[in-house]
Amino acid sequence: MELIIGAVILLVGILIGRYLPGPGRPRRHALEEAKPLCGCGHSPSFHEEKGRCHGLNEVARWEGGRWAGIESVSCSCQKYTGPEPLPAFYAPEITG
Ligand SMILES: [Zn+2]
Ligand SMILES: [Zn+2]
């Protein structure tokens, strides 16, 4: 009998885990995952109209073979090379 109760508790746990959004699996918006990124890793909003990037890159600093921390340097990207951000990304709700 104890075995059956244990199995039922286990089954209920599996069902609850399946139907409730668990904290380990955050639901991300599909559009966020399809966000266009430049080759430098920054989104188009970091780039000037002419193309220069204002983003920061974190680079590892080494001094004499020893780890000296992380340094933020401005991105050297001169032109946005990623996919063009589609208008649909900003107006996802299409009616009619
Ligand atoms: Zn950049
Ligand atoms: Zn860039």
Side-chain angles (χ1 to χ4, degrees):
M1 190 62 191
E2 276 170 28
L3 258 175
I4 293 167
I5 290 169
V8 167
I9 288 168
L10 187 71
L11 189 69
V12 167
I14 290 168
L15 289 174
I16 289 171
R18 183 173 296 180
Y19 291 108
L20 289 181
R25 280 194 300 166
R27 276 177 65 98
R28 284 175 66 200
H29 206 274
L31 288 172
E32 274 181 9
E33 286 174 20
K35 216 169 172 182
L37 280 180
C38 174
C40 68
H42 295 116
S43 67
S45 58
F46 279 101
H47 294 76
E48 270 178 23
E49 245 178 86
K50 286 178 200 163
R52 227 181 85 82
C53 181
H54 288 288
L56 289 175
N57 284 328
E58 290 193 334
V59 291
R61 247 162 31 91
W62 297 85
E63 278 173 16
R66 275 174 56 195
W67 173 257
I70 297 276
E71 194 178 23
S72 285
V73 294
S74 51
C75 189
S76 59
C77 173
Q78 298 294 322
K79 199 176 195 310
Y80 176 72
T81 57
E84 283 295 317
L86 299 172
F89 280 53
Y90 305 108
E93 281 184 39
I94 297 160
T95 49

